[in-house]
Amino acid sequence: MVALRNSLIWPFLMIMVLHGMAIFLFTRGFLLTRTELPHFSTCSDISDSPCISPSSYSSNLNQTHLHQLQCWTRPVVDRLVIIVLDALRFDFVAPSACFEEKKPWMDKLQVLQKLASTQGSSARIFKAISDPPTTSLQRLKGLTTGGLPTFIDVGNSFGAPAIVEDNLIYQLVQNGKRVVMMGDDTWLQLFPHHFEKSYPFPSFNVKDLHTVDNGCIDHLLPSLYQEDWDVLIAHFLGVDHAGHIFGVDSTPMIEKLEQYNGVLENIIEVLESQSGPGGLHENTFLLVMGDHGQTINGDHGGGTAEEVETSIFAMSLKTTPSSLPLELNTSCCELHLDKENMCINSIQQLDFAVTVSAMLGIPFPFGSIGRVNSELYALGSGTWNLESINVGNRQTQLNMQSWMHDYVNVLCINSWQVKRYIDVYSASSIIGFSSEDIMRITDIYAQAEESWSHTIKNLLLDKNESCNTMLPIKRQIDAYSDFLASVAELARSKWTEFDLKMMGVGLGIMLITLVIQFLGIKRMNKTCGVNFPSPGDSWTSFGLIFSIFIVMIRACSFLSNSYILEEGKVASFLLATTGILKFRNSILKKKMLLEVGCCISFVSLHFQINY
């Protein structure tokens, strides 16, 4: 007996070790993780950078807002209004002329299209590219931290923990900005005790298309007349819920978009009415944006084009700005509507936090790896109007040069901050970057810094207004942009791209363990004389097939992006079906009392836990 036990224990231990190894390898390749560092940026950190301090630089550029507290960058806007339309597809905002086929849901937000196409307008439409996973919590986390939330965070989508790493909202509060929030209560879960005022509404009921939106509408318009905020955030959920329940090509979706068009018209009317000299919104900046897109069926969470492509509409309430250098302009212009020209620009959501921080003059979040977007920053700075270029205008050229000087210094700070984060992350995280990757991006940064220290910094401090300074400044912008793009590419490869080789090895080892288990069962059957039910037992065969079928359904259901919405119903259905079949089997075997008692206890426990 002892010999038999010893002969069976070794296969058992081998199976346990192989199972553990398979799970470890698969999860390392699939459940990508990123260490959150407990470091926060402060205004005093800028003294450690090689860049020009804002206090000495602002006077050189002869810019306004010198009365404001100077921190990392010179603030270019005073107030910011952020309207988040959850699950806003790119084709909800862009004109139908930009697409091969016109769909019923297109051209419903006409107020945004009209403003972006008006000649001399200070409004632009951006195609915003998000990073998977495209669930609301991860996108809000990415938008505010400037980082790349990993797939493992999806489990927190409906139980959002507070964000503990440095983020845009924290920096706003720490630097004296008053933030007001209304709408999706996820913001309050992510940023507790951060808002001056908050009007949260429950977001979990996807069948409710109106409660959150109506709450936003009731509080948003009155708040625009108030002076007790610097940043106002309103998060609407109707489009997201309409997509989940009815799909994009549905009447409720079109009705929601038309409702949003009317709401946005009222918001813009209020802002423009008070945007004159000395007005409440003289230097207010408006952002209407989505956190992610959605498929035709209303799903999101993955990385398809429909899910990752969303929109940002940006509008400055300043006087019509001057021109952006063509070298920095990445817009693609299309004719639409009444043959008017509209330029669609592109921006990575990764760049949102650092760009807004630069515009408001606050420190960049410590873990941000984004790049200050030139088009959005120029729009906030009042430096963009492609239709009003006047080459012979000396003042326009000086203004352009002044903006270029400002932007290259912002990129210097941006690059220094990202390099600092990468260095600290590599030294602190168990799962850091490889030494080869660190050396590569360090070399790119060193080359950019050498050019900055020897040439550009002296040009800016010498107040050289010669047009000859523009070419080296453009080269310096390209150098910093290359560095930031390299870091973003490296981070995506580590935090958003699955390691398919490691996942394959894990699955292969798991299959090997199944073979070992099968051989072990056969050996135990021969050694111990255990008799398994014969294949002729019809009920046993049916039970085996049914069990495999249930397990397969349960496993495949997790591949659906929207499965979590119906998980409770699916699990209850499968459990109830299994219980009924087990009850029938118990009656046939005349073991009803014992087995039915176990089934009832299990079902009761399930409902107590879930309901």
Side-chain angles (χ1 to χ4, degrees):
M1 188 68 181
V2 175
L4 176 62
R5 183 180 62 187
N6 291 336
S7 65
L8 293 176
I9 197 169
W10 289 109
F12 176 74
L13 291 176
M14 183 182 297
I15 290 171
M16 285 188 61
V17 172
L18 290 176
H19 266 301
M21 185 182 302
I23 293 172
F24 173 77
L25 291 175
F26 182 84
T27 54
R28 279 294 302 272
F30 179 67
L31 298 179
L32 306 174
T33 57
R34 178 180 63 90
T35 304
E36 295 182 353
L37 303 181
H39 298 277
F40 296 83
S41 300
T42 62
C43 282
S44 59
D45 292 344
I46 195 65
S47 60
D48 298 328
S49 79
C51 312
I52 303 173
S53 64
S55 57
S56 61
Y57 193 60
S58 293
S59 58
N60 177 42
L61 296 178
N62 192 26
Q63 299 284 0
T64 56
H65 309 291
L66 299 183
H67 64 283
Q68 300 189 29
L69 176 65
Q70 300 296 317
C71 193
W72 281 26
T73 60
R74 179 186 58 82
V76 296
V77 299
D78 295 334
R79 311 182 90 195
L80 179 64
V81 178
I82 302 176
I83 310 296
V84 181
L85 305 181
D86 206 292
L88 184 71
R89 287 168 56 104
F90 175 61
D91 56 7
F92 286 170
V93 178
S96 58
C98 295
F99 305 93
E100 295 181 358
E101 182 181 357
K102 183 175 180 179
K103 300 293 184 179
W105 58 82
M106 295 179 180
D107 297 331
K108 300 304 177 185
L109 299 178
Q110 294 185 1
V111 60
L112 303 184
Q113 296 180 4
K114 181 178 179 181
L115 287 170
S117 63
T118 302
Q119 186 173 7
S121 171
S122 55
R124 288 294 184 274
I125 290 175
F126 294 79
K127 176 191 283 188
I129 310 298
S130 61
D131 291 284
T134 49
T135 48
S136 293
L137 181 141
Q138 282 68 43
R139 287 298 86 230
L140 293 181
K141 189 172 182 179
L143 284 166
T144 54
T145 62
L148 295 169
T150 56
F151 186 80
I152 198 171
D153 291 335
V154 172
N156 296 324
S157 291
F158 290 86
I163 294 178
V164 295
E165 60 182 325
D166 199 1
N167 59 80
L168 174 63
I169 305 300
Y170 172 84
Q171 289 296 338
L172 288 170
V173 175
Q174 289 297 113
N175 290 275
K177 303 294 184 180
R178 300 160 298 173
V179 186
V180 172
M181 188 282 304
M182 57 197 67
D184 187 349
D185 60 356
T186 303
W187 286 86
L188 233 59
Q189 300 173 43
L190 294 175
F191 310 103
H193 317 298
H194 283 68
F195 300 111
E196 190 81 10
K197 291 181 181 180
S198 60
Y199 307 97
F201 299 91
S203 59
F204 186 76
N205 184 9
V206 295
K207 295 182 179 179
D208 184 354
L209 307 184
H210 306 294
T211 299
V212 177
D213 290 356
N214 291 340
C216 285
I217 295 170
D218 291 341
H219 293 93
L220 178 55
L221 292 177
S223 296
L224 295 178
Y225 293 96
Q226 304 299 321
E227 300 182 6
D228 58 352
W229 57 269
D230 299 296
V231 177
L232 189 152
I233 302 171
H235 191 142
F236 291 75
L237 279 176
V239 161
D240 179 63
H241 289 182
H244 281 304
I245 302 302
F246 303 103
V248 171
D249 190 6
S250 64
T251 300
M253 176 65 76
I254 294 173
E255 291 175 348
K256 266 295 162 188
L257 292 173
E258 291 174 344
Q259 179 191 18
Y260 286 175
N261 188 69
V263 172
L264 293 172
E265 282 182 341
N266 294 334
I267 293 172
I268 293 169
E269 182 181 354
V270 172
L271 293 176
E272 289 184 331
S273 67
Q274 303 182 64
S275 62
L280 183 61
H281 297 297
E282 178 183 6
N283 193 22
T284 296
F285 198 76
L286 172 65
L287 290 172
V288 180
M289 59 186 293
D291 52 349
H292 52 74
Q294 58 177 304
T295 66
I296 296 297
N297 296 325
D299 296 335
H300 57 87
T304 65
E306 290 179 309
E307 295 168 282
V308 300
E309 291 181 359
T310 181
S311 298
I312 293 181
F313 169 84
M315 179 178 178
S316 173
L317 274 297
K318 293 180 181 178
T319 308
T320 302
S322 55
S323 61
L324 177 71
L326 295 178
E327 294 83 353
L328 301 178
N329 182 18
T330 61
S331 62
C332 176
C333 300
E334 300 281 351
L335 290 175
H336 80 112
L337 297 178
D338 300 324
K339 302 299 181 180
E340 292 181 332
N341 197 49
M342 175 182 293
C343 295
I344 304 294
N345 306 90
S346 180
I347 183 175
Q348 297 288 328
Q349 274 195 358
L350 191 67
D351 302 338
F352 178 82
V354 68
T355 304
V356 171
S357 297
M359 292 168 64
L360 290 169
I362 62 175
F364 305 163
F366 185 87
S368 171
I369 57 173
R371 167 181 173 268
V372 177
N373 182 270
S374 59
E375 292 97 340
L376 191 58
Y377 183 72
L379 192 61
S381 303
T383 314
W384 194 358
N385 178 20
L386 297 175
E387 293 82 8
S388 65
I389 295 179
N390 186 350
V391 178
N393 190 324
R394 175 65 176 171
Q395 186 59 45
T396 299
Q397 292 179 352
L398 292 178
N399 290 340
M400 178 54 54
Q401 181 173 300
S402 180
W403 181 86
M404 291 282 287
H405 290 182
D406 193 7
Y407 181 63
V408 74
N409 192 60
V410 168
L411 278 189
C412 175
I413 298 172
N414 189 180
S415 300
W416 162 78
Q417 169 263 320
V418 171
K419 181 61 167 60
R420 178 182 67 162
Y421 167 68
I422 293 298
D423 290 342
V424 174
Y425 185 89
S426 299
S428 306
S429 175
I430 298 176
I431 310 174
F433 301 109
S434 66
S435 57
E436 293 80 6
D437 291 331
I438 293 297
M439 290 180 61
R440 179 172 57 85
I441 62 176
T442 298
D443 289 342
I444 299 174
Y445 182 74
Q447 293 175 11
E449 276 304 292
E450 183 179 4
S451 173
W452 172 266
S453 300
H454 292 169
T455 308
I456 307 303
K457 190 173 182 178
N458 293 330
L459 286 176
L460 301 187
L461 291 176
D462 288 343
K463 304 182 181 181
N464 191 337
E465 295 183 353
S466 171
C467 293
N468 295 329
T469 66
M470 298 296 285
L471 183 58
I473 287 178
K474 291 173 183 176
R475 290 175 178 171
Q476 187 67 42
I477 290 175
D478 291 338
Y480 282 137
S481 297
D482 290 343
F483 165 73
L484 293 169
S486 298
V487 173
E489 180 183 0
L490 173 62
R492 287 190 173 97
S493 68
K494 299 295 183 182
W495 297 330
T496 66
E497 296 178 6
F498 298 134
D499 190 335
L500 299 180
K501 292 183 179 179
M502 191 171 291
M503 292 169 61
V505 171
L507 288 174
I509 295 176
M510 183 65 71
L511 292 176
I512 293 174
T513 62
L514 293 178
V515 173
I516 295 176
Q517 283 180 296
F518 177 75
L519 295 176
I521 291 173
K522 287 192 66 176
R523 180 179 179 183
M524 185 179 66
N525 185 27
K526 292 180 180 179
T527 305
C528 303
V530 178
N531 294 319
F532 290 96
S534 63
D537 189 339
S538 60
W539 173 251
T540 302
S541 300
F542 173 76
L544 180 61
I545 295 173
F546 178 76
S547 299
I548 295 174
F549 178 70
I550 293 295
V551 172
M552 291 296 294
I553 290 179
R554 181 70 172 172
C556 292
S557 61
F558 283 103
L559 300 177
S560 169
N561 291 334
S562 296
Y563 171 68
I564 193 171
L565 301 174
E566 304 295 337
E567 180 179 7
K569 294 180 181 179
V570 172
S572 298
F573 171 78
L574 294 177
L575 180 64
T577 304
T578 304
I580 292 172
L581 293 175
K582 189 65 178 176
F583 178 72
R584 176 181 179 276
N585 185 36
S586 300
I587 295 176
L588 295 177
K589 289 185 175 182
K590 299 181 179 179
K591 297 180 180 179
M592 184 174 63
L593 184 61
L594 177 62
E595 294 189 1
V596 171
C598 293
C599 286
I600 293 175
S601 300
F602 181 73
V603 173
S604 300
L605 179 62
H606 169 78
F607 278 95
Q608 288 177 7
I609 293 174
N610 290 278
Y611 301 99

